[in-house]
Amino acid sequence: MKLRKEKKKARVEILPLMDVIFLLLVFFIYSMVFMAVHQGMPVNLPISTTVAPENAAPVALTIQADSSIFIDKDPVQYEALTELLVLRAEQEKLKNPDKEPSIQIFADDMLTYGELFKVLDAVKLAKIRKISLQAKPK
């Protein structure tokens, strides 16, 4: 007596594949949410115990210890800072008319108070009222 073996058709199980794809999707979403986007130059930020994570502003202003100023990664002379900030604020206003222009300031922890205040004056002359000074969490 001969036993007849039926050939089974090969199947690809989709359920485990969907689980893996879902886990990868969750991983990438969480990594993007918790990733701090800093568009400026690297500086040693001061340490703060009360710092809270903040969404990135469209303009990142970096002031290094030697008082050199950068808008995003472009070097800027202090004399031209207000004009450039006015232009950037107008561009942001065109993109989002409902949103008030904002700026994130990344100042080196060795920067003098006077130098920081000069830059803050230039930002206020550019009529940018939402200013965020950045720090490292402790």
Side-chain angles (χ1 to χ4, degrees), residues 3-11:
L3 293 175
R4 200 170 184 198
K5 286 187 177 180
E6 291 183 25
K7 282 195 170 188
K8 289 187 178 179
K9 211 174 185 186
R11 276 179 50 177

Side-chain angles (χ1 to χ4, degrees), residues 16-37:
L17 184 63
M18 286 174 44
D19 289 342
V20 169
I21 291 173
F22 177 72
L23 288 174
L24 285 173
L25 180 67
V26 168
F27 170 76
F28 285 119
I29 289 174
Y30 276 129
S31 64
M32 293 303 291
V33 167
F34 292 113
M35 195 180 299
V37 178

Side-chain angles (χ1 to χ4, degrees), residues 97-138:
D98 300 332
K99 200 173 180 187
E100 186 178 343
S102 62
I103 189 167
Q104 284 183 328
I105 298 179
F106 298 87
D108 195 279
D109 62 347
M110 300 305 283
L111 189 70
T112 64
Y113 183 70
E115 292 293 322
L116 178 61
F117 216 82
K118 278 176 43 179
V119 172
L120 285 173
D121 283 343
V123 170
K124 286 190 177 185
L125 285 173
K127 304 232 187 303
I128 298 176
R129 301 290 178 236
K130 290 179 76 175
I131 301 169
S132 174
L133 291 172
Q134 300 298 304
K136 273 192 295 192
K138 188 172 184 180

Side-chain angles (χ1 to χ4, degrees), residues 59 71 81-90 103 122-123 126 128:
V59 180
I71 294 180
L81 180 61
T82 304
E83 289 179 34
L84 289 172
L85 289 175
V86 167
L87 288 173
R88 290 292 297 265
E90 288 173 356
I103 189 167
V123 170
I128 298 176

